Amino acid sequence: MNNDKKIPFLLDGGSLTPEDLYEVGHDMQREIGITAKAWKKVASGRAVVDEILVKGAVVYGINTGFGNFANVKISPTDLELLQLNLIRSHATGVGSPLPLAITRMMIILRINVLARGNRLPSHLFIVKCSSCVFFLFFYFLFS
């Protein structure tokens, strides 16, 4: 791991060690980034989704509902709402908030998985997650 705190810690989807995760997770001022090779994988995977949407093909979880609604095609105008509702349905918790370092490590783990390029997120989504890791520190500091 590069210990220079001015250089973002770069994730590639494959080389993150538990030691790296612990260190960067507890270093609240360390920014997170994605390697150029990982960005290419993400872009390639995302191109598959974009092509599906342009062609109007029906693919589970991309432009259909989930579970009992797997056979229900979602209109292109409602796809953003579908994704928002999916996030909301999974974004609940019980009990006290997790410690900041644990929350940060969980987001880093998610970004690392997305960096593999097989989950098909948008470039913007990964950028927002990476920014979130850095700005969590300020949110908890001033709230």
Side-chain angles (χ1 to χ4, degrees):
M1 178 166 110
N2 183 337
N3 289 320
D4 185 347
K5 295 178 191 257
K6 294 181 180 164
I7 298 173
F9 182 81
L10 298 179
L11 299 165
D12 62 9
S15 63
L16 181 66
T17 66
E19 295 81 14
D20 290 341
L21 177 63
Y22 182 86
E23 185 175 327
V24 77
H26 285 81
D27 183 352
M28 299 302 162
Q29 296 180 351
R30 186 74 182 267
E31 292 185 43
I32 304 298
I34 307 269
T35 66
K37 186 175 179 181
W39 277 125
K40 287 180 185 176
K41 290 180 193 175
V42 168
S44 176
R46 183 59 197 198
V48 172
V49 172
D50 293 340
E51 186 175 334
I52 288 168
L53 294 173
V54 166
K55 289 182 177 180
V58 178
V59 178
Y60 177 78
I62 292 178
N63 56 7
T64 70
F66 304 96
N68 291 336
F69 299 101
N71 295 322
V72 176
K73 185 173 187 218
I74 307 299
S75 71
T77 58
D78 290 332
L79 288 177
E80 190 172 324
L81 180 60
L82 172 74
Q83 295 300 312
L84 179 61
N85 287 338
L86 179 64
I87 290 170
R88 285 179 174 159
S89 72
H90 288 74
T92 61
V94 178
S96 300
L98 291 171
L100 178 57
I102 300 295
T103 302
R104 193 173 145 87
M105 286 188 284
M106 290 171 61
I107 296 171
I108 291 167
L109 285 170
R110 173 51 60 197
I111 296 167
N112 194 56
V113 168
L114 295 174
R116 292 179 183 169
N118 56 6
R119 291 286 176 184
L120 315 176
S122 68
H123 180 273
L124 181 60
F125 180 78
I126 294 178
V127 169
K128 285 184 176 185
C129 285
S130 298
S131 297
C132 180
V133 169
F134 183 67
F135 290 109
L136 271 174
F137 170 71
F138 296 104
Y139 174 77
F140 284 97
L141 182 68
F142 296 108
S143 63

